[in-house]
Amino acid sequence: MIRKAIEMPWYGNSVPHGVLDVMRGCNISCRGCYNGRASGIKSPEQVKQELELMLSMRQLHTITLSGGEPALHPDIFEIIRYVRSRNLRVGMLTNGVLIDSEFVRRGRDVGLDLILFHIQSGQQRPDLPTNPDFVQLRKLRDAKGKIVVDGGLTPGLSMIAYRRELQEVRETVSEVLVSPYFNFLLVTGYADIASYGAVSGDIYSGMNTDQPVFTPNVNEHPDHVKQSHFIELLTSMGLEPFGFVGSSVDANNPRWLLYSVATVRNHDGSTIVESLVPGIFDRLIIHATRLVLGRNVFFYKSYSSAFVFRLIVNALTGGRFYQNLSILLKCCKRGAMLVDKHMAFQQAPDICPDGRIVICRDCPDATILNGKMVPLCLSDMIVERNRTMYRA
């Protein structure tokens, strides 16, 4: 099902995204959290140094601020301002507890672009009951999304997927496709990172673990999600991958699946959905953009007029001609709104029998640790730890 998908040209220094891990410590607890360090805060100066080091390694377009809970950082707006000053898009991954209209206003004023909310079941948080149902989750997400949209920024959703609870992924995908607020979704497959043992290496030399092969293997954890699970689920929903990122072992083995979906939201609240497949134009525009800008694009805010043009050219250059035409005709109805939705599905690392760890190719979600680029999800398991990295 990925045969038509574009292999994203994110190799080596052309990877357009990185993560700044600004602190440890959080105001909620999540079942699938990979954070293993004690609470602590990086100084703005150290965060800036890590960004400059990352810029020396990558032609960055977008930086995501993460943690811990980055909204707890006392200097978060200074950090956002600095990242923006380096001509970068700025996103923040947050549980959303501290995100209100004032936070959004201040973030917008210093250059924040995207707020990605991690709000799902399995969290202990002050703004939800202990075991929330999907209606309660959606109500809170919508409230946070509205605050961000009203403040002039772009909201998105993030979640961890568990193999035995893929129905929650289905519900969340369906929610995003009809949402008036959320046009971005990031889904990360669960892995029992704490069982991976002591990890060493970096994304360039390779990641390894001292964990011996044992039964049951960490790759066979009952909640460990592989891309085949995502593909099966999304295919059943009529969605087809638009692009992918391969693995550190096999460039054709997808570790990221990227979906682009055209939706028409009618004035009566109904929504029409059509998954896009890439055409020749889409492949050309990716390479042309890099030639013009000198870097690949990671995050962008879609506009209806530009999306109409893209749908037309996509249909004429190998996309789904009749489906695209149908979407374009339906968006001409009075009160209808055409929206471009984006979704990314990530598979967590696997361990090979020889101790090698299979990660995403050149890891688009890498961060800086001890002067090296390492996958954010494995960073707390790295054996070479700099204990002065955070201030108490």
Side-chain angles (χ1 to χ4, degrees):
M1 286 302 294
I2 70 163
R3 64 186 185 279
K4 294 182 179 180
I6 297 174
E7 180 188 0
M8 303 305 293
W10 299 347
Y11 319 127
N13 67 356
S14 71
V15 178
H17 181 249
V19 179
L20 288 175
D21 183 9
V22 300
M23 64 171 293
R24 278 294 183 267
C26 194
N27 48 359
I28 72 168
S29 63
C30 298
R31 176 169 45 138
C33 185
Y34 55 78
N35 289 178
R37 294 195 190 103
S39 297
I41 299 172
K42 290 181 182 175
S43 68
E45 291 70 28
Q46 181 171 356
V47 176
K48 294 173 185 178
Q49 289 172 5
E50 291 182 355
L51 174 60
E52 294 304 320
L53 180 57
M54 199 179 297
L55 282 167
S56 72
M57 299 179 181
R58 290 186 167 177
Q59 297 162 339
L60 292 171
H61 177 270
T62 302
I63 281 288
T64 297
L65 305 177
S66 184
E69 172 48 51
L72 287 170
H73 197 294
D75 302 302
I76 189 63
F77 298 110
E78 178 185 345
I79 291 171
I80 294 170
R81 187 193 302 275
Y82 184 80
V83 175
R84 187 57 176 225
S85 75
R86 302 296 280 119
N87 191 29
L88 299 169
R89 296 287 189 178
V90 191
M92 186 173 75
L93 179 59
T94 173
N95 60 49
V97 171
L98 298 178
I99 305 303
D100 55 18
S101 56
E102 176 63 14
F103 187 101
V104 171
R105 182 194 64 78
R106 294 185 65 188
R108 180 198 64 215
D109 289 348
V110 293
L112 187 61
D113 294 289
L114 171 69
I115 297 181
L116 201 61
F117 290 103
H118 181 201
I119 301 173
Q120 71 171 105
S121 62
Q123 295 178 324
Q124 299 297 318
R125 49 188 302 144
D127 47 8
L128 280 175
T130 301
N131 295 302
D133 58 32
F134 193 74
V135 173
Q136 293 167 319
L137 286 170
R138 183 166 182 175
K139 182 178 180 181
L140 178 59
R141 289 167 173 170
D142 280 353
K144 295 295 183 178
K146 185 176 187 304
I147 288 172
V148 174
V149 169
D150 289 348
L153 299 184
T154 300
L157 288 180
S158 171
M159 70 177 299
I160 298 172
Y162 303 89
R163 191 192 309 179
R164 290 176 292 186
E165 300 172 20
L166 288 177
Q167 179 60 28
E168 184 175 1
V169 178
R170 178 185 291 272
E171 292 170 341
T172 305
V173 169
S174 297
E175 174 189 353
V176 169
L177 292 178
V178 303
S179 173
Y181 307 114
F182 298 107
N183 297 332
F184 297 91
L185 173 64
L186 171 64
V187 182
T188 302
Y190 172 78
D192 186 16
I193 297 295
S195 68
Y196 279 39
V199 175
S200 61
D202 58 53
I203 65 170
Y204 301 118
S205 63
M207 305 297 298
N208 297 275
T209 177
D210 64 358
Q211 178 66 58
V213 176
F214 64 96
T215 303
N217 190 281
V218 293
N219 302 333
E220 301 306 321
H221 188 285
D223 274 325
H224 188 92
V225 178
K226 297 183 180 295
Q227 290 295 30
S228 58
H229 300 118
F230 286 139
I231 291 173
E232 181 179 357
L233 172 67
L234 295 162
T235 300
S236 72
M237 300 179 71
L239 302 177
E240 187 170 341
F242 187 88
F244 72 96
V245 175
S247 81
S248 55
V249 173
D250 181 358
N252 293 314
N253 174 26
R255 306 296 291 194
W256 279 38
L257 289 171
L258 306 172
Y259 289 76
S260 180
V261 184
T263 65
V264 175
R265 190 165 58 248
N266 296 312
H267 71 280
D268 61 0
S270 62
T271 303
I272 302 165
V273 174
E274 186 62 53
S275 180
L276 300 184
V277 297
I280 297 173
F281 171 78
D282 300 288
R283 300 173 190 275
L284 291 175
I285 199 66
I286 289 174
H287 295 286
T289 300
R290 185 179 179 194
L291 285 175
V292 173
L293 300 181
R295 55 184 176 174
N296 291 309
V297 170
F298 189 83
F299 163 78
Y300 67 91
K301 188 173 182 178
S302 180
Y303 296 93
S304 293
S305 57
F307 192 39
V308 166
F309 174 77
R310 179 185 164 201
L311 284 173
I312 294 172
V313 179
N314 173 268
L316 297 173
T317 59
R320 291 172 168 163
F321 181 85
Y322 293 106
Q323 290 89 335
N324 287 16
L325 180 61
S326 175
I327 283 285
L328 289 168
L329 290 174
K330 289 170 181 175
C331 77
C332 293
K333 292 182 179 179
R334 184 179 180 86
M337 179 178 295
L338 177 66
V339 183
D340 187 10
K341 305 273 186 175
H342 298 272
M343 298 183 291
F345 297 80
Q346 304 173 343
Q347 181 175 334
D350 291 320
I351 299 179
C352 296
D354 61 3
R356 287 179 302 153
I357 301 179
V358 182
I359 60 173
C360 306
R361 179 172 180 172
D362 291 325
C363 188
D365 277 347
T367 190
I368 296 291
L369 180 68
N370 301 323
K372 299 179 180 180
M373 292 282 283
V374 301
L376 179 68
C377 59
L378 293 174
S379 61
D380 284 5
M381 304 304 296
I382 302 290
V383 291
E384 300 173 322
R385 298 191 176 179
N386 182 350
R387 299 188 182 278
T388 64
M389 187 160 34
Y390 301 92
R391 68 173 189 260

